[in-house]
Amino acid sequence: MKDCIFRNFFGIFCVLLVLSFVGCDSGGWIYENAELAQFNDESKKLTIHEESYYWYQGNKIKLSPIYNKKYILVDKSRMAEIKGKKEIQEVNIGVKKRLMRKNYGWAIVDSDVEICKDNGVTYSSSFYITPDGDEVGVSHLFYVKLKKESDFIKLDSISKKYNVYIEGQNEYMPLWYTLSCDEHSYGDALKTAALFYEMGIFDASEPSLIVSNLLNENNIIPYAVSLNDTYYPQQWNLKGNYSINWTGAYEISRGKGVTVGVFDQGIDILNPDLKSAKIGCYDTVSKDMNLPIVMYGNHGTAVAGIICAMTNNGIGIAGIAPDASVYSIANPLTASPDIAQQLANGFVKASTSCEVINCSWSGDALKSSLIDDAIRLHCQLWGRKGKGNVIIFATGNDSKSSVNYPGSSNDYLIRVGWSTQTGRRHSASNYGDDLDFVAPGGPIVTTDRSGSLGYVDGDYYMNFNGTSAAAPHVAGIAALMLSVNSNLTAAEVKEILAKTARKVGNYEYKTYSDKPYGTWNREMGYGLVDAEAAVKAAKQKL
């Protein structure tokens, strides 16, 4: 009996002792706040489970770990020393003002290399396979969206509790913050982002994943090119049975007064078919509006040529909308710790600079609510003073029956697949419920980076392929349409393109309740876009 009384007394004493310590903790207000208190049980579960996952739009995305490579973060003071062992890239974070963190370098390394044990490495995280079979890495960054601006005090307190640094606030979307982890944090960015989301305090919390293979080009094969030739006779994509039927549209409109955003790797203005075009530039990495000389690869120059190469100038190729202005939104479109925020910022900037935005890239592993917000708010709701920016996405070249993200995220977007010279869907072209149209995807003759810098030696590339090549055909047509009727909303542009598309390829096009603009097919969408018919319909709508 005495033992029982002693044990009860001792238990009560321990509880009081623990409560006294909690009350003295500088972060103890967390436990007094009912909204935060419910998190405690969830955090215990997280420390026990071995699942790898993150949350996107309320859905748990499970990941399968792989063990052959790692993402590492390197202290800036040791970057020069370690650079001799591995290529180290500086971390650029697209926030308005960095609040706490100093600069670091990053790299992707084999898991078993000696560098992983180096004292200069302050953080490392794993690579995974997504449910769609894509390989992604986890960087040291994650993004949190507050429910309201005053919730920053909660974010600040919780971040300190779990040894997470607040890098800064997004310049254009003030509810979004970028946070970073290191070796002292609760866990890596994957685990910590899940932790923050499962508190129920924030609208979103998502890791910044290392994603590659975003460019929707296919079968890049070098061809010898003569600089003295005129390639219009080879542009089957503009004229003929399974072309976009461009020649009639060219007699009506050439895109004057419209700015097309080429969201890609940058545009080479030294190409003789592009240099006199009106080209502006925004670099999503440095956040600078520079002269349009920011180039991270060849892809953007090839895309731009299809849209706006000069026409009837005696050289090169004919562009679909040669009198349109062009705005280059430049990004490497390769693995980067902060790529989701860079892309989101690019959409925000493009929404105020362009009427049409072409995106010849995609990837399901890129899914991000930060990108979704930038498109939905700045482009769809606020772009063109409420009429909406016309945004075109390539569907992807994975031979699968679903459209890649970001195209799949929003029916407001225009999703374009790849049609062949016989009017059929190319076997590599992604299709499915979200597909809107098809357009010629290769082989397409287009502009290349000048000299030896591009896909081939010379200024033109004869074999640009993929949904990357298909999408800019629709961007060029949209520019022609808005040039004759600037009052069209983005939704009206999409409707006209759908109602004027040609039902080619001997496919069965049917009526569906969720496809309001006519008959539709899973492999071809509403059909092959028709430039002349679309421009005439746009003009008639005046």
Side-chain angles (χ1 to χ4, degrees), residues 217-249:
E217 59 191 0
N218 198 64
N219 299 330
I220 300 301
I221 304 171
Y223 276 72
V225 176
S226 170
L227 299 178
N228 297 320
D229 292 341
T230 299
Y231 302 114
Y232 178 66
Q234 299 178 41
Q235 290 186 269
W236 69 271
N237 50 310
L238 301 185
K239 58 195 184 303
N241 289 337
Y242 300 111
S243 72
I244 63 168
N245 196 23
W246 170 77
T247 53

Side-chain angles (χ1 to χ4, degrees), residues 34-162:
E35 185 180 19
L36 294 172
Q38 71 178 73
F39 155 72
N40 294 325
D41 289 338
E42 292 299 320
S43 66
K44 290 175 184 175
K45 296 175 187 175
L46 276 174
T47 60
I48 296 171
H49 72 66
E50 297 296 330
E51 259 190 329
S52 298
Y53 63 88
Y54 65 97
W55 293 92
Y56 168 70
Q57 300 288 4
N59 297 310
K60 181 188 281 190
I61 311 297
K62 295 183 180 181
L63 302 175
S64 302
I66 55 178
Y67 304 101
N68 61 338
K69 61 178 70 174
K70 282 186 175 294
Y71 169 89
I72 62 168
L73 195 66
V74 180
D75 191 296
K76 189 176 182 181
S77 64
R78 300 289 302 278
M79 279 177 63
E81 176 185 339
I82 295 176
K83 204 160 190 177
K85 305 176 185 177
K86 185 69 182 178
E87 182 182 356
I88 304 294
Q89 302 179 59
E90 192 162 334
V91 175
N92 292 293
I93 301 179
V95 293
K96 185 175 183 180
K97 181 181 178 183
R98 300 190 74 182
L99 301 180
M100 299 179 64
R101 198 73 155 160
K102 58 184 178 180
N103 289 329
Y104 286 84
W106 68 277
I108 297 172
V109 300
D110 296 335
S111 296
D112 58 350
V113 299
E114 192 65 26
I115 194 172
C116 293
K117 303 173 184 176
D118 198 292
N119 291 332
V121 176
T122 64
Y123 169 95
S124 68
S125 51
S126 300
F127 273 70
Y128 298 87
I129 299 295
T130 71
D132 296 313
D134 298 311
E135 181 180 288
V136 296
V138 174
S139 77
H140 65 297
L141 303 174
F142 67 101
Y143 310 117
V144 173
K145 183 182 181 182
L146 307 182
K147 291 184 177 180
K148 54 185 183 295
E149 290 188 27
S150 60
D151 284 343
F152 176 77
I153 188 172
K154 300 175 185 177
L155 179 67
D156 185 44
S157 179
I158 294 168
S159 298
K160 290 174 181 175
K161 179 179 179 65
Y162 292 99

Side-chain angles (χ1 to χ4, degrees), residues 67-348:
Y67 304 101
N68 61 338
K69 61 178 70 174
K70 282 186 175 294
Y71 169 89
I72 62 168
L73 195 66
V74 180
D75 191 296
K76 189 176 182 181
S77 64
R78 300 289 302 278
M79 279 177 63
E81 176 185 339
I82 295 176
K83 204 160 190 177
K85 305 176 185 177
K86 185 69 182 178
E87 182 182 356
I88 304 294
Q89 302 179 59
E90 192 162 334
V91 175
N92 292 293
I93 301 179
V95 293
K96 185 175 183 180
K97 181 181 178 183
R98 300 190 74 182
L99 301 180
M100 299 179 64
R101 198 73 155 160
K102 58 184 178 180
N103 289 329
Y104 286 84
W106 68 277
I108 297 172
V109 300
D110 296 335
S111 296
D112 58 350
V113 299
E114 192 65 26
I115 194 172
C116 293
K117 303 173 184 176
D118 198 292
N119 291 332
V121 176
T122 64
Y123 169 95
S124 68
S125 51
S126 300
F127 273 70
Y128 298 87
I129 299 295
T130 71
D132 296 313
D134 298 311
E135 181 180 288
V136 296
V138 174
S139 77
H140 65 297
L141 303 174
F142 67 101
Y143 310 117
V144 173
K145 183 182 181 182
L146 307 182
K147 291 184 177 180
K148 54 185 183 295
E149 290 188 27
S150 60
D151 284 343
F152 176 77
I153 188 172
K154 300 175 185 177
L155 179 67
D156 185 44
S157 179
I158 294 168
S159 298
K160 290 174 181 175
K161 179 179 179 65
Y162 292 99
N163 293 320
V164 173
Y165 291 87
I166 300 176
E167 296 282 356
Q169 184 181 30
N170 185 273
E171 183 173 359
Y172 309 108
M173 295 176 281
L175 292 178
W176 282 95
Y177 283 82
T178 302
L179 291 80
S180 64
C181 301
D182 62 16
E183 72 272 26
H184 303 298
S185 301
Y186 164 82
D188 66 10
L190 183 70
K191 184 177 180 180
T192 309
L195 176 83
F196 276 47
Y197 179 79
E198 289 169 1
M199 294 178 186
I201 298 167
F202 307 114
D203 258 1
S205 177
E206 300 170 3
S208 179
L209 300 177
I210 305 293
V211 182
S212 57
N213 300 322
L214 295 178
L215 298 178
N216 296 140
E217 59 191 0
N218 198 64
N219 299 330
I220 300 301
I221 304 171
Y223 276 72
V225 176
S226 170
L227 299 178
N228 297 320
D229 292 341
T230 299
Y231 302 114
Y232 178 66
Q234 299 178 41
Q235 290 186 269
W236 69 271
N237 50 310
L238 301 185
K239 58 195 184 303
N241 289 337
Y242 300 111
S243 72
I244 63 168
N245 196 23
W246 170 77
T247 53
Y250 178 70
E251 295 301 318
I252 303 169
S253 173
R254 299 180 187 180
K256 187 175 181 179
V258 178
T259 299
V260 180
V262 178
F263 200 156
D264 216 289
Q265 291 185 314
I267 302 170
D268 184 3
I269 61 169
L270 298 179
N271 183 288
D273 251 356
L274 297 174
K275 65 181 180 181
S276 62
K278 303 171 187 176
I279 303 178
C281 179
Y282 173 71
D283 180 8
T284 61
V285 178
S286 67
K287 299 193 298 177
D288 289 334
M289 289 180 290
N290 301 315
L291 291 173
I293 57 175
V294 180
M295 286 180 289
Y296 293 105
N298 305 322
H299 196 259
T301 302
V303 168
I306 295 171
I307 299 170
C308 69
M310 291 186 291
T311 303
N312 282 339
N313 61 338
I315 60 171
I317 64 167
I320 295 169
D323 290 349
S325 298
V326 179
Y327 194 78
S328 171
I329 307 102
N331 186 273
L333 296 173
T334 55
S336 168
D338 195 36
I339 190 169
Q341 185 157 228
Q342 292 171 4
L343 296 177
N345 289 348
F347 280 113
V348 174

Side-chain angles (χ1 to χ4, degrees), residues 484-506:
V484 299
N485 188 351
S486 61
N487 292 320
L488 293 173
T489 66
E492 288 172 330
V493 169
K494 185 172 183 177
E495 179 181 358
I496 290 171
L497 286 168
K499 289 182 175 179
T500 57
R502 289 180 289 150
K503 314 298 182 182
V504 300
N506 294 319

Side-chain angles (χ1 to χ4, degrees), residues 244 306 320 356 358 390 392 414 416 437-439 469-479 481 493 497 529:
I244 63 168
I306 295 171
I320 295 169
V356 181
N358 185 83
V390 179
I392 296 93
I414 294 174
V416 183
F437 316 107
V438 295
H473 285 81
V474 181
I477 296 171
M481 295 168 66
V493 169
L497 286 168
V529 288

